[in-house]
Amino acid sequence: SCLTPDGAAARACLLSALTDILWQAASAPDTTKTDPADGTAWPIEPCAVVALPSLPPGTSDSHTVFVEVFKQCNVGYSWQATRALLEAREERLASPVGALCFLCSSLFSRRLGRFNAERDDATPPLIDPHFGHCCQEVLNLMILGQGVSNLFDGERDLGGGFLLRGVSSRPPVGLLSEMEALRYLAVGSLYKQPLCPVWVVASQSHFSVLFSLSAAVLRTSHLEALEERLLRAFSEYDSEGNGFISAEHLPSLSASLPEWSTPPLEELRAVLDPEGTSLLVWDTFLQVMRPLHPEFASAMAAQPHKEGLPPKVFSLLHYNGLASAGHAHKRALRHVTVRTGEARGQPMADAGLAAVLQTRWKDASIGWHGTAPSIN
């Protein structure tokens, strides 16, 4: 069974996954286009770096570790060559500094200058000195291959040459965040709809994994696709995710949605902002704009059992690998049932895995057997 692989199969999958991370860091499109140091383009030929040095037993001095990391770098010019380098050094991944050395390998594969250029601010530490958490840029590097700082789709220009970079295309693996459920940030549709039905679940203190054995859970209805298109257009002007924008953006916002049959601009403005506040609120914008698409009626009439639409009830699996002292009870593979539409009109969950899942499957009821799966 794929859920209970033997040791050899698990080892092979782990090595391939680590190779994917390094090769994606080396080959993912450059979000900055140029080297900030001298204005020249980054090298075209991708190459991944494997920096897993051979260290004397018991080595823990950070200076010695980093010196050897720099001295014992190996370069792979293809995915296959990179995997071979990792396989030859497999036992070093399990050392006390194996994870740190793999992080260095990922950073070197991306190139340090390019990684720092992709960050909104290159000064904060990559690993929290108190709790040991990696920063968002490191997590994005592992999933996207890019050191961007945000979870929203695309880029947001704040003016004055300050550009915030987010997710530029559908990644192989997605991400869902408890911080979105708590309304501290918004995860874009690209992270919520990855190429494979696998998501990293980020809580306030830990990372766990959510996945499905069926790609059908990735399907979206035509109505959801229309709503996502509206949200992406609106978010171009809602740089801070406040849920409202200035009405001065209405002309360009309307022009960016040519598929919608909108009335004359002033009529549209009167409907969207009847009290003349000079603000456009997302909820009102969505309700007004949805019926103006020529395919809205057919999208509303579509039934969930029709071919190509997402299933109404489906199962997900959640895994929390935390097994340190006092947390061993959390290390379990849990089955989670999602029933779409069953929680419509009800308050959303306020914390935990259910709240995280409702940021992706809105109006869904979330269930499991026994105690709630832990994301902490």
Side-chain angles (χ1 to χ4, degrees), residues 3 10 30 111 113 148 167 186 225 237 256 273 333 336 346 360 375:
L3 295 179
D30 182 11
R111 310 296 184 269
V148 295
V167 185
Y237 304 95
S256 71
D273 182 22
L333 184 64
V336 179
Q346 301 177 20
R360 169 60 180 86
I375 60 174

Side-chain angles (χ1 to χ4, degrees), residues 126-345:
L126 301 184
I127 300 177
D128 186 281
H130 301 293
F131 302 105
H133 301 157
C134 71
C135 66
Q136 186 63 58
E137 291 93 340
V138 168
L139 185 58
N140 283 341
L141 176 65
M142 298 291 175
I143 299 177
L144 305 171
Q146 300 168 326
V148 295
S149 300
N150 304 286
L151 304 179
F152 52 69
D153 296 343
E155 299 177 341
R156 295 183 181 177
D157 191 346
L158 301 186
F162 194 57
L163 188 67
L164 302 180
R165 298 182 178 90
V167 185
S168 58
S169 60
R170 288 180 68 191
V173 172
L175 182 141
L176 303 174
S177 175
E178 187 180 28
M179 301 303 285
E180 179 173 23
L182 298 174
R183 301 185 184 278
Y184 287 110
L185 54 79
V187 178
S189 61
L190 294 173
Y191 249 153
K192 291 179 179 177
Q193 300 170 8
L195 297 174
C196 302
V198 182
W199 295 265
V200 173
V201 176
S203 74
Q204 299 180 69
S205 60
H206 185 48
F207 299 112
S208 53
V209 180
L210 180 78
F211 65 98
S212 173
L213 300 180
S214 172
V217 303
L218 292 172
R219 296 175 187 160
T220 57
S221 67
H222 190 33
L223 181 61
E224 289 173 321
L226 293 179
E227 292 178 350
E228 288 291 348
R229 175 73 180 88
L230 288 171
L231 179 59
R232 284 198 297 270
F234 191 90
S235 296
E236 287 290 322
Y237 304 95
D238 185 15
S239 59
E240 297 183 2
N242 293 319
F244 61 85
I245 62 174
S246 171
E248 68 181 15
H249 297 304
L250 183 57
S252 53
L253 175 57
S254 179
S256 71
L257 298 166
E259 313 96 303
W260 272 258
S261 303
T262 56
L265 203 56
E266 291 309 311
E267 290 184 24
L268 182 60
R269 189 191 306 273
V271 177
L272 292 172
D273 182 22
E275 298 181 3
T277 62
S278 296
L279 295 175
L280 305 181
V281 178
W282 161 246
D283 290 339
T284 303
F285 180 77
L286 175 63
Q287 295 304 316
V288 170
M289 292 295 292
R290 284 198 315 172
L292 299 180
H293 194 281
E295 298 177 7
F296 172 73
S298 59
M300 284 290 290
Q303 298 299 316
H305 64 265
K306 288 188 177 180
E307 183 179 355
L309 291 180
K312 188 171 181 60
V313 180
F314 54 88
S315 294
L316 300 172
L317 295 110
H318 177 259
Y319 181 70
N320 187 337
L322 192 63
S324 56
H327 297 277
H329 64 286
K330 299 178 181 178
R331 189 174 188 178
L333 184 64
R334 301 291 303 277
H335 289 259
V336 179
T337 300
V338 179
R339 301 178 183 274
T340 59
E342 285 202 356
R344 186 171 291 115

Side-chain angles (χ1 to χ4, degrees), residues 51-56 59 61-73 100-101 104 108:
L52 294 169
S54 175
L55 299 170
T59 301
D61 175 65
S62 59
H63 180 266
T64 301
V65 171
F66 282 115
V67 167
E68 293 304 316
V69 161
F70 278 98
K71 288 172 60 178
Q72 299 185 44
C73 286
L100 180 62
C101 292
C104 292
F108 294 165

Side-chain angles (χ1 to χ4, degrees), residues 81-104:
T82 303
R83 192 186 189 284
L85 289 171
L86 280 173
E87 186 171 14
R89 294 156 181 80
E90 180 182 358
E91 76 284 352
R92 302 176 192 175
L93 287 167
S95 76
V97 295
L100 180 62
C101 292
F102 184 79
L103 170 59
C104 292

Side-chain angles (χ1 to χ4, degrees), residues 11-36:
R11 166 184 163 275
C13 288
L14 176 60
L15 285 173
S16 293
L18 295 177
T19 305
D20 285 344
I21 291 173
L22 295 184
W23 191 249
Q24 186 171 240
S27 59
D30 182 11
T31 64
T32 64
K33 309 304 181 188
T34 58
D35 180 345

